[in-house]
């Protein structure tokens, strides 16, 4: 009998990054595998069109748009709480995505009051680096319901062992509730790739005359290290004057301007090219057109972009700040550096070094590894086994309603 699974994330906007991508792929693939999946969001802008149909076709998630939280401080209003309570009561398991969202606390409290088991995917937000940012605000959030959300979860989902090792101290005495499952990764678009020509035509000026291209593709945020890559361009240009650094992605307008000003101030704005936000076939083509994908990030948990690049046959250069760095290295398609310890000059040397390797061999090894180890069927089965276990152990015990749902 199909399980009824409810997923919640505040916003389904792809520019928000990997959490949204994770929920979209997870809902789609779990629904395709036979469960009844409902996706609940406050802003469903980038939900697939099929989800928005009045009667979604079989194997497609149903979308519920609850509207932006109408209560104070990003919380649901009483009317919204009533709608969500009814929705939760009609599902076997609830899967909550992300940590620092007030409405997540409310949904978790509703689950506890109704005796419905829930999974919490923390998406790297309990990593040491993440917890060191805005410490005071996070401590207040934990005291005002975040701890109850963590400790009331039937399972806390981590995407890699390194993520679990850092996050286990925050989930309370039930450390065994921590489960490691890679994110579901829809490999279908990567089976037949569009080829590099689409990107080379769209960004002809950026590729013109370039012997080697290094691609940064991610949300533009200081933790991802785009500024370090721009500074490293000075040394890289000295050794490879006909190379190019391509920066694809969007972020806060002020930060985008800061990066453009940095490149101009350092005199590398011809060597570094900003391509803007890309998606769909153009994104896949851009991976294929680049020689190396590079993300000098301070922290990342799963990091879809790494496995997208590998699935496109593009070698990866990243850091030990990525929870999946052992997997990337083991794939044969990646190189790992101790950034920021090595500094901008060390990053430039690493870029120069990887450019001298047999990139086609690395790219093929990485692509083969992704298809062998991140099969959506295998990963979907692991999530389904988790949902089955929680649905069977579900106890609608009125005594669980210790916390009010509006907290």
């Amino acid at each position: 009998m199909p399980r009824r699974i409810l997923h919640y994330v505040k916003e389904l906007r792809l520019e928000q990054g990997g959490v949204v991508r994770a929920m979209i792929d997870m809902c789609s693939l779990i629904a395709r595998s036979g469960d009844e999946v409902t996706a609940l969001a406050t802003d469903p802008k980038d939900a697939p069109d099929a989800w928005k149909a009045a009667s979604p076709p079989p194997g497609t998630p149903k979308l519920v748009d609850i509207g932006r939280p109408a209560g104070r401080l990003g919380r649901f209003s009483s009317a919204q709480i009533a709608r969500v309570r009814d929705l939760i009561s009609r599902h076997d398991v609830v899967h909550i995505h992300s940590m620092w969202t007030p409405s997540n606390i409310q949904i978790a409290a509703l689950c506890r009051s109704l005796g419905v088991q829930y999974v919490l995917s923390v998406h790297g937000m309990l990593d040491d680096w993440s917890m060191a940012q805005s410490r005071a605000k996070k401590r207040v959030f934990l005291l005002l319901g975040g701890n109850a959300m963590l400790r009331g979860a039937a399972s806390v989902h981590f995407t890699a062992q390194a993520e679990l090792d850092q996050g286990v101290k925050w989930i309370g005495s039930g450390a065994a509730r921590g489960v490691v499952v890679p994110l579901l990764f829809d490999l279908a678009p990567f089976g037949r790739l569009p080829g590099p020509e689409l990107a080379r035509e769209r960004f002809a000026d950026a590729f013109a005359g370039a012997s080697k291209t290094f691609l940064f593709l991610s949300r533009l945020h200081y933790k991802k290290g785009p500024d370090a890559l721009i500074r490293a361009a000075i040394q890289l240009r000295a050794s490879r004057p006909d190379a190019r650094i391509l920066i694809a992605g969007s972020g806060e307008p002020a930060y985008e301007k800061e990066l453009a000003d940095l490149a101009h101030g350092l005199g590398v704005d011809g060597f570094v090219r900003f391509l803007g936000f890309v998606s769909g076939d153009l994104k896949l083509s851009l991976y294929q057109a680049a020689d190396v994908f590079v993300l000098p990030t301070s922290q990342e948990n799963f990091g879809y972009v790494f496995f997208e690049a590998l699935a496109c046959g593009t070698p990866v250069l990243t850091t030990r700040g990525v929870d999946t760095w052992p997997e990337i290295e083991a794939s044969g398609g990646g190189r790992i550096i101790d950034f920021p310890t090595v500094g901008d000059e060390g990053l430039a040397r690493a870029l120069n070094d990887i450019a001298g390797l047999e990139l086609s061999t690395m790219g093929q090894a990485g692509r083969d590894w992704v298809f062998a180890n991140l099969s959506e069927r295998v990963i979907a089965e692991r999530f389904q086994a988790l949902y089955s276990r929680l649905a069977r152990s579900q106890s609608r015990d009125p005594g669980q309603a210790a916390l009010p749902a509006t907290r």
Side-chain angles (χ1 to χ4, degrees):
M1 181 177 177
R3 292 162 293 266
R4 297 163 300 171
I5 313 299
L6 174 66
H7 284 257
Y8 173 70
V9 73
K10 183 182 176 184
E11 296 177 325
L12 278 173
R13 301 178 69 92
L14 286 170
E15 66 264 28
Q16 297 293 332
V19 174
V20 174
R21 166 71 187 281
M23 175 156 160
I24 290 175
D25 277 3
M26 194 177 297
C27 288
S28 296
L29 292 167
I30 293 293
R32 200 181 303 165
S33 298
D35 283 333
E36 295 179 9
V37 176
T38 301
L40 174 66
T42 69
D43 179 355
K45 171 181 174 288
D46 290 326
D49 290 341
W51 295 16
K52 300 175 182 178
S55 298
T60 303
K62 176 184 177 182
L63 177 67
V64 175
D65 179 1
I66 192 67
R68 291 191 175 276
R72 295 179 57 200
L73 303 175
R75 300 190 305 171
F76 289 131
S77 66
S78 297
Q80 288 173 313
I81 283 288
R83 286 186 63 197
V84 175
R85 179 189 293 274
D86 177 66
L87 192 62
I88 290 172
S89 71
R90 291 185 276 112
H91 286 80
D92 300 313
V93 177
V94 175
H95 195 140
I96 302 171
H97 294 266
S98 159
M99 265 296 301
W100 312 112
T101 304
S103 55
N104 285 9
I105 292 177
Q106 293 177 291
I107 287 179
L110 281 168
C111 289
R112 295 193 300 273
S113 71
L114 292 167
V116 175
Q117 303 277 33
Y118 64 92
V119 181
L120 176 63
S121 288
V122 295
H123 294 285
M125 297 179 190
L126 298 181
D127 280 7
D128 294 341
W129 185 92
S130 297
M131 293 303 291
Q133 315 304 309
S134 303
R135 289 185 182 182
K137 289 183 179 178
K138 287 176 179 174
R139 295 285 182 170
V140 170
F141 183 93
L142 290 171
L143 288 172
L144 294 179
N147 281 328
M149 176 175 68
L150 280 167
R151 292 167 185 172
S155 289
V156 181
H157 168 230
F158 300 89
T159 61
Q161 185 61 44
E163 186 190 358
L164 172 61
D165 292 343
Q166 295 172 80
V168 69
K169 58 182 169 288
W170 297 101
I171 69 176
S173 57
R177 294 179 297 112
V179 296
V180 176
V181 185
L183 290 178
L184 268 166
F185 183 27
D186 188 356
L187 288 173
F190 299 87
R192 179 174 291 181
L193 293 165
E197 293 78 15
L198 177 62
R200 287 176 179 156
E201 290 174 6
R202 179 69 64 87
F203 304 115
D205 289 346
F207 281 97
S211 62
K212 284 288 186 291
T213 50
F214 301 89
L215 173 65
F216 174 106
L217 193 159
S218 191
R219 180 168 56 96
L220 297 183
H221 187 274
Y222 75 91
K223 85 163 185 176
K224 311 276 187 176
D227 57 318
L229 193 56
I230 293 169
R231 290 192 298 270
I234 297 173
Q235 289 80 30
L236 182 63
R237 185 177 58 179
S239 58
R240 295 183 179 271
D242 52 355
R244 294 288 184 278
I245 291 174
L246 311 179
I247 297 181
S250 60
E252 293 295 328
Y255 189 60
E256 290 187 19
K257 183 178 186 302
E258 182 181 325
L259 293 176
D261 289 346
L262 176 64
H264 182 72
L266 294 175
V268 295
D269 43 358
F271 191 81
V272 176
R273 302 297 183 97
F274 294 90
L275 308 184
F277 180 77
V278 295
S279 61
D281 281 349
L282 180 60
K283 179 174 71 170
L284 302 190
S285 179
L286 187 55
Y287 282 125
Q288 288 184 276
D291 292 292
V292 177
F293 174 76
V294 55
L295 193 72
T297 184
S298 297
Q299 183 274 335
E300 209 77 31
N301 66 312
F302 182 77
Y304 273 114
V305 287
F306 306 116
F307 300 106
E308 289 178 348
L310 292 176
C312 288
T314 306
V316 166
L317 176 68
T318 191
T319 77
R320 283 184 169 78
V322 178
D323 292 336
T324 51
W325 75 260
E327 289 84 356
I328 294 168
E329 190 171 61
S331 76
R335 291 292 182 271
I336 309 300
I337 60 173
D338 286 310
F339 190 80
T341 305
V342 297
D344 300 336
E345 291 187 8
L347 175 57
R349 284 194 301 272
L351 291 167
N352 190 57
D353 289 347
I354 195 172
L357 299 178
E358 184 50 61
L359 296 178
S360 61
T361 301
M362 288 181 66
Q364 188 61 53
R367 179 171 164 82
D368 291 345
W369 185 94
V370 168
F371 278 89
N373 291 274
L374 295 180
S375 158
E376 59 264 34
R377 179 184 61 80
V378 172
I379 305 302
E381 287 176 355
R382 292 175 64 180
F383 277 109
Q384 288 178 310
L386 173 63
Y387 296 147
S388 291
R389 176 171 59 81
L390 299 186
R392 285 195 303 269
S393 65
Q394 184 167 279
S395 171
R396 297 183 182 274
D397 178 1
Q400 292 185 13
L403 291 175
T406 54
R407 281 198 55 186

